[in-house]
Amino acid sequence: MTTNDKTMDILNLQFIGAGNENQQMIFNLDDEEFGIDVLTVQEIVRFTKPVKVPRAPDCVFGVINFRGDIIPVLDLRQIFGLEPVKHDEFTVTIIVKASEKIFGMIVDKVSDIVNVPEPNIQRTEFSSKEKTKYLKAVGKLENRLILMLDLDKVVNFEEIEEALHPSASNSGSNEIPAQ
Amino acid sequence: MSLSTGELDESLRRLFITETSEQLEKFVEILLGLEKTPGSENEVIHKLFRLAHSVKGSAGMMALKELKEVMHQTESMLDEVRKGEMNLDSEKIDLLLQFSDVVKDYVLREKWNEVSVLESWKQVFTHHREEATQPDEKLAISLFLSEQEKQHIATWQEENKFVYGIEVQFVAGSEMQGASALIFVKFMEGMGIIFKTAPDVNNLKNGYFSTFKIVLLTEKPLTLEQEKKITTYPLYESSGISIRKWVYRPDEGAIPIKIERQYEQTIRVDAVKIDKLINDLGELLVVNSGFNQLFQQGYPEKKNWDQFTRMFQKLEQIAGILHREVMDLRMIPVRQLFLRFPKIVRDIAKQKGKMVELVFFGEDTEIDKQVAERIADALTHLIRNAVDHGLEDREARAAMGKPDYGCITLGASQEGDNVILTVKDDGKGLNLQKIREQALKNCLIRFDEELAEDEIIKLIFHPGFSTAEQVSDISGRGVGLDVVQNSVKELKGDIEVSTIPNNGTVFHLKVPLTLAVVQSFLIKISGQLFGIPSSQVVESLAVNPLHFHHFADKQLYTLRDEAIPVIDLHDFFSYEKPAPRDKTPLIIVKYGRLKIGLLAEELMGQEELIIKQINRALPENPLISGAALLGTGEIALILNVHEMIGAKGGG
């Protein structure tokens, strides 16, 4: 835990100092590197097991207490259709703010804060049906490929639900279990 | 620590705003009383005079020259009434009521700029005093404009165009003012656009008026020559024509709501409550020094263990008391909420030509200030509706043999952790047949649907229902009842409506006493904590699930001859089910008349929870109404029992 805490402290310090527009915080899911705009990050906290919310969308891991507020935590692995992994000492919750909403995202680990120069950013139209629709651009950094997330889309649960369970949109939350 | 000038100014300003608003509220209250029972007793006039005087005093203190002057005029006018030199007739009361609105708006604004709406009022009062003995319907030009019209004028001015107010005085006892005014209007049409006249052009033949006013809009400023032409126009029976370039400031029309809120944020607390609080804080200090002494004797040992326990109990007790008392500070008597209604009722009644009596009961019932604020609009809505649509007009009432005065009752009473607010009218009642027809027309129900009376009544809260055409005429109820329902729902409250044809309609709004702390049952489902507000719990028991009756796909539990449907929360949430035990906790909850049993894994007891909204990043989840942080740092989700009963589908 201590190494993790130290990393987090350093990262937290780094992102406080960050200000450039294309500063990206890099986190990992499996071997993939994802980037989010550093200015959206509120804080990086150690992973705490969220409290499950019954009948919430599958991509919602649960809720946690963040500075006295109760905020939802998303399971990014679920959204990207990745197999669940065991949470280890590197697992962190990134608290972000997007679309005026504050929420947490559980990621395998946070690795870096980098500046992606504008010419290296490739904004492509991603297909709306694929998982890639949560991406807004791809950044190239030497031999690294950074998938830049569109948090506004990530926090739009209705669409996520629709994408994960295309047919279940009607019968989802109001279904009464058979007794 | 001393306050900086800025802070001092700010606190002085706050004090001024709160105090003056309160004085004006009282002013209005007395005026409304006078309007109901005319015949001004000296003591009452004296009170008005004193209130005007103290507003004048505070205005002087804040260096608001304008306000001070106009309050001085008011004072002088009231002084004349007091001396019997002037009669305070209904028209003047009306004028004073309008005036108090203007002053209140003025006081509540952020900046008190030099030029203001008050200017015109000075003239009004001067006129009134000069012609105290004559019948008079003189109003300052700004007074006969509606909000919309003001807006229009403001836009006109923003386009760098011009507005003039022209006032024609007629000699006393003149008989031809109607014709004269018409001639004058014809003449003025050559000067620009006649925006509005008072009295209205179509209404000139009726009755006597001593002044005739025109609001004139022009593209270019009037030349001196033109102005002279107007003021010297040879008008029969007129004693003078005055013209004033009128600078209408849009900011005077619209008072930002923001400021109103700022003013509302302060709570006026009964001094007795503060005294009690200070007293109990003293107790806390005593306990504190008690602990100090004990610790000086050394850390808890067996020999002083008893003493420690006693002190600790005392601490616990005081913490509880303090908590209650601080919460109590947020409570205000509903009177403060009700105070705004006499004026609202009066205004609509006047507008609709109805006679309405507003009766209060239970004004001393206390309610959380926040709840009061959030329910205020809903109440206003219901009361407006009651006056506007609920009560019949005078002829209809007379035909029914009902008293001329329609009666609206507004009341409050406490019932456990809830306050019941009642809005009742003695009007025509809801026409269930027509509500049904209207709902059919709007496709809210099927034509063959059989509905009980209360189900039909519920239709009026349907958003699709209220936006329908002409609904107010058909149903006898106005638009927007869904808004009322929403604000009650947001407070986790409940609405009950009952109606008797030709006898009236009653709305009961059940809202929680307070939003901050909710006494709740804590339960565990599959190891996870949940809360159920105690106000919704009828009782809790330990039962053996094997004794449930099964009927179709439902389980029923028989409690004192009453069959109660049971939901196993594990099934409901698709959680893992524990092995059946013979003493499983069953929490009986109710919503309206419906009762339902919730089967939990474990009952942890009752606790006072501070309920928070789950951050709105989570999609709306009707089953969970919030979450609470427990002392242990754990999170308990609060179950929304109403929705669960609804989702269960009629039990």
Side-chain angles (χ1 to χ4, degrees):
Chain A
M1 275 301 159
T2 40
T3 49
N4 186 23
D5 279 359
K6 220 178 251 165
T7 331
M8 255 165 25
D9 281 348
I10 293 166
L11 283 168
N12 272 323
L13 263 179
Q14 270 192 25
F15 93 73
I16 285 168
N20 253 340
E21 223 171 88
N22 284 332
Q23 292 262 32
Q24 296 280 311
M25 170 171 286
I26 310 296
F27 62 84
N28 296 65
L29 294 175
D30 289 346
D31 295 329
E32 222 67 75
E33 284 198 301
F34 290 85
I36 48 174
D37 186 348
V38 127
L39 295 177
T40 59
V41 178
Q42 307 292 304
E43 200 171 316
I44 305 164
V45 296
R46 198 190 311 163
F47 172 75
T48 43
K49 193 165 187 283
V51 170
K52 220 161 96 179
V53 180
R55 303 212 181 171
D58 286 347
C59 60
V60 176
F61 212 114
V63 290
I64 58 164
N65 169 16
F66 174 61
R67 296 187 194 153
D69 273 339
I70 306 214
I71 62 165
V73 173
L74 301 187
D75 185 356
L76 278 190
R77 297 193 73 89
Q78 166 89 21
I79 293 177
F80 289 111
L82 303 172
E83 289 300 311
V85 289
K86 243 185 112 185
H87 300 118
D88 58 20
E89 56 183 297
F90 294 110
T91 313
V92 292
T93 309
I94 309 176
I95 316 281
V96 292
K97 186 175 184 181
S99 301
E100 293 300 302
K101 298 168 180 172
I102 292 186
F103 59 98
M105 300 189 300
I106 295 174
V107 302
D108 295 359
K109 70 172 189 195
V110 169
S111 57
D112 208 355
I113 291 173
V114 295
N115 190 19
V116 186
E118 188 63 39
N120 295 11
I121 297 177
Q122 190 186 330
R123 290 173 214 279
T124 24
E125 275 297 309
F126 292 99
S127 142
S128 63
K129 283 218 176 96
E130 301 301 316
K131 306 280 194 256
T132 51
K133 73 176 212 175
Y134 306 113
L135 303 181
K136 65 176 169 197
V138 176
K140 272 176 255 167
L141 220 58
E142 287 160 31
N143 52 355
R144 293 159 77 185
L145 205 64
I146 290 155
L147 306 168
M148 292 157 80
L149 272 189
D150 187 344
L151 287 179
D152 294 324
K153 281 191 185 138
V154 171
V155 79
N156 191 345
F157 297 99
E158 284 77 15
E159 271 183 40
I160 296 179
E161 275 306 280
E162 187 63 34
L164 290 177
H165 314 280
S167 59
S169 59
N170 294 331
S171 58
S173 64
N174 279 328
E175 183 184 8
I176 302 153
Q179 293 280 337
Chain B
M1 234 183 20
S2 69
L3 293 165
S4 72
T5 335
E7 280 172 300
L8 189 66
D9 281 357
E10 184 52 29
S11 63
L12 202 63
R13 208 177 76 95
R14 286 261 169 83
L15 185 70
F16 167 73
I17 291 175
T18 329
E19 240 183 45
T20 311
S21 312
E22 232 166 57
Q23 279 156 351
L24 287 169
E25 258 163 37
K26 250 182 228 153
F27 196 77
V28 169
E29 202 184 325
I30 295 172
L31 283 172
L32 290 175
L34 272 175
E35 195 175 42
K36 240 188 232 168
T37 45
S40 34
E41 284 169 41
N42 245 342
E43 185 46 39
V44 182
I45 302 295
H46 205 72
K47 260 191 209 158
L48 283 176
F49 180 81
R50 273 200 306 262
L51 285 167
H53 185 76
S54 52
V55 172
K56 181 179 108 178
S58 336
M61 183 183 78
M62 297 302 289
L64 299 172
K65 197 166 139 263
E66 287 259 319
L67 182 61
K68 194 179 146 194
E69 275 173 20
V70 76
M71 286 318 292
H72 181 76
Q73 302 270 11
T74 321
E75 214 185 277
S76 312
M77 179 174 156
L78 287 167
D79 194 37
E80 277 170 34
V81 175
R82 192 165 59 166
K83 286 186 199 142
E85 288 166 12
M86 193 202 278
N87 194 14
L88 197 60
D89 51 18
S90 69
E91 190 199 324
K92 287 203 188 66
I93 290 175
D94 204 53
L95 192 75
L96 282 173
L97 281 171
Q98 287 186 41
F99 172 66
S100 2
D101 276 355
V102 172
V103 175
K104 200 168 172 196
D105 282 353
Y106 175 79
V107 167
L108 284 179
R109 70 176 54 187
E110 217 152 357
K111 285 200 181 104
W112 299 299
N113 31 359
E114 330 75 58
V115 185
S116 84
V117 278
L118 297 177
E119 187 60 43
S120 51
W121 279 98
K122 265 196 272 174
Q123 294 173 8
V124 177
F125 285 123
T126 321
H127 281 314
H128 262 271
R129 285 175 49 229
E130 277 168 4
E131 302 175 22
T133 47
Q134 289 177 14
D136 194 346
E137 60 272 66
K138 212 176 291 161
L139 287 175
I141 228 149
S142 60
L143 301 179
F144 61 88
L145 292 177
S146 72
E147 272 311 309
Q148 230 176 348
E149 288 165 336
K150 282 183 188 168
Q151 208 56 49
H152 189 98
I153 288 187
T155 332
W156 181 266
Q157 269 191 352
E158 270 166 29
E159 292 166 5
N160 285 323
K161 293 172 186 171
F162 301 86
V163 183
Y164 292 89
I166 292 120
E167 202 168 304
V168 182
Q169 298 277 347
F170 288 101
V171 290
S174 50
E175 285 160 350
M176 299 285 287
Q177 329 100 321
S180 291
L182 265 180
I183 294 168
F184 189 61
V185 168
K186 279 269 170 310
F187 162 71
M188 287 303 296
E189 273 169 358
M191 296 285 180
I193 304 164
I194 309 267
F195 181 67
K196 195 174 177 178
T197 67
D200 195 81
V201 185
N202 303 319
N203 219 359
L204 286 177
K205 279 176 202 133
N206 306 333
Y208 170 88
F209 52 94
S210 61
T211 50
F212 178 65
K213 279 162 287 184
I214 298 176
V215 179
L216 182 77
L217 307 183
T218 61
E219 301 267 351
K220 288 189 187 129
L222 291 176
T223 59
L224 268 182
E225 206 177 318
Q226 277 174 311
E227 280 190 20
K228 206 171 164 198
K229 244 186 181 172
I230 295 171
T231 47
T232 55
Y233 188 77
L235 202 59
Y236 184 59
E237 283 183 341
S238 99
S239 62
I241 301 171
S242 65
I243 179 160
R244 208 148 50 92
K245 191 167 160 197
W246 198 19
V247 182
Y248 182 79
R249 281 159 204 270
D251 64 328
E252 287 170 6
I255 308 296
I257 298 163
K258 194 178 95 224
I259 296 159
E260 181 96 21
R261 286 231 180 92
Q262 184 187 11
Y263 150 73
E264 298 240 344
Q265 262 170 15
T266 57
I267 297 184
R268 291 183 77 82
V269 178
D270 191 345
V272 178
K273 287 182 179 176
I274 301 272
D275 288 347
K276 245 167 69 190
L277 192 62
I278 291 172
N279 207 11
D280 291 316
L281 267 176
E283 285 282 289
L284 184 67
L285 295 179
V286 170
V287 175
N288 187 37
S289 60
F291 270 116
N292 261 338
Q293 269 176 21
L294 276 174
F295 278 112
Q296 270 163 17
Q297 289 165 23
Y299 279 90
E301 291 166 29
K302 271 212 178 110
K303 65 173 168 49
N304 56 14
W305 193 247
D306 275 357
Q307 229 176 328
F308 260 108
T309 319
R310 266 206 311 280
M311 296 289 289
F312 190 74
Q313 280 170 349
K314 182 87 185 160
L315 178 66
E316 219 177 357
Q317 191 192 353
I318 291 172
I321 291 173
L322 283 177
H323 181 235
R324 259 203 310 283
E325 281 176 359
V326 173
M327 284 304 163
D328 196 38
L329 293 183
R330 300 172 55 94
M331 306 298 275
I332 56 166
V334 287
R335 179 181 290 108
Q336 287 185 31
L337 172 62
F338 287 1
L339 263 181
R340 70 188 77 186
F341 294 117
K343 177 111 198 318
I344 291 173
V345 167
R346 170 194 170 275
D347 289 351
I348 313 169
K350 204 154 190 179
Q351 201 186 327
K352 296 279 162 187
K354 291 178 182 175
M355 296 207 280
V356 183
E357 194 179 2
L358 182 64
V359 184
F360 291 151
F361 70 84
E363 303 108 293
D364 287 324
T365 313
E366 291 205 317
I367 188 169
D368 189 303
K369 188 163 168 61
Q370 208 188 343
V371 178
E373 271 161 20
R374 286 171 58 175
I375 201 70
D377 283 349
L379 277 184
T380 311
H381 215 108
L382 288 177
I383 285 180
R384 275 175 186 279
N385 267 346
V387 180
D388 192 359
H389 309 296
L391 296 178
E392 313 89 333
D393 49 34
R394 250 186 275 179
E395 293 82 49
R397 286 186 77 86
M400 302 274 310
K402 284 183 176 181
D404 282 354
Y405 269 95
C407 183
I408 307 249
T409 313
L410 177 62
S413 59
Q414 193 179 339
E415 192 179 274
D417 279 347
N418 294 300
V419 171
I420 315 278
L421 294 163
T422 305
V423 179
K424 185 178 159 214
D425 66 62
D426 67 345
K428 50 184 175 267
L430 296 173
N431 187 334
L432 299 183
Q433 185 55 39
K434 288 207 170 135
I435 292 175
R436 210 197 136 96
E437 283 167 17
Q438 184 68 28
L440 259 177
K441 229 186 266 172
N442 294 344
C443 304
L444 299 179
I445 50 171
R446 289 190 314 274
F447 72 95
D448 57 347
E449 212 162 329
E450 284 198 23
L451 294 170
E453 196 177 291
D454 50 342
E455 283 171 314
I456 296 178
I457 292 176
K458 262 189 200 148
L459 290 172
I460 62 174
F461 293 111
H462 200 287
F465 187 81
S466 56
T467 51
E469 232 177 302
Q470 286 182 325
V471 94
S472 52
D473 297 326
I474 292 158
S475 66
R477 285 282 152 194
V479 288
L481 278 172
D482 58 314
V483 178
V484 174
Q485 190 178 35
N486 282 344
S487 47
V488 172
K489 240 185 172 173
E490 266 171 34
L491 290 167
K492 310 278 170 280
D494 195 6
I495 305 183
E496 266 178 44
V497 189
S498 54
T499 183
I500 302 173
N502 296 323
N503 223 327
T505 311
V506 192
F507 286 85
H508 292 291
L509 311 186
K510 183 167 148 187
V511 292
L513 266 180
T514 172
L515 297 174
V517 175
V518 179
Q519 177 84 18
S520 303
F521 278 74
L522 271 183
I523 56 168
K524 252 188 190 165
I525 304 164
S526 186
Q528 193 183 331
L529 281 169
F530 287 88
I532 304 173
S534 303
S535 58
Q536 296 170 345
V537 175
V538 186
E539 61 182 294
S540 65
L541 2 133
V543 298
N544 186 344
L546 293 175
H547 295 163
F548 291 158
H549 300 280
H550 292 263
F551 176 73
D553 59 345
K554 295 195 171 73
Q555 317 184 65
L556 297 170
Y557 179 73
T558 316
L559 176 66
R560 292 185 288 273
D561 294 336
E562 191 181 354
I564 296 169
V566 172
I567 300 178
D568 188 328
L569 289 171
H570 296 87
D571 291 339
F572 196 72
F573 291 150
S574 326
Y575 280 8
E576 203 178 312
K577 222 170 158 169
R581 292 157 298 154
D582 62 345
K583 280 197 175 150
T584 312
L586 183 71
I587 324 288
I588 313 273
V589 294
K590 66 165 179 205
Y591 176 49
R593 264 159 292 172
L594 287 171
K595 273 187 197 166
I596 205 159
L598 302 176
L599 202 61
E601 181 185 4
E602 208 176 323
L603 175 62
M604 315 292 291
Q606 284 196 57
E607 214 170 296
E608 301 222 305
L609 299 181
I610 297 177
I611 298 197
K612 304 186 172 196
Q613 294 302 308
I614 294 186
N615 179 297
R616 60 197 179 86
L618 204 62
E620 195 127 325
N621 190 335
L623 297 179
I624 307 294
S625 62
L629 284 173
L630 306 183
T632 55
E634 285 173 286
I635 296 173
L637 299 174
I638 310 299
L639 296 180
N640 189 350
V641 170
H642 298 181
E643 286 295 331
M644 296 189 65
I645 293 178
K648 182 76 180 134

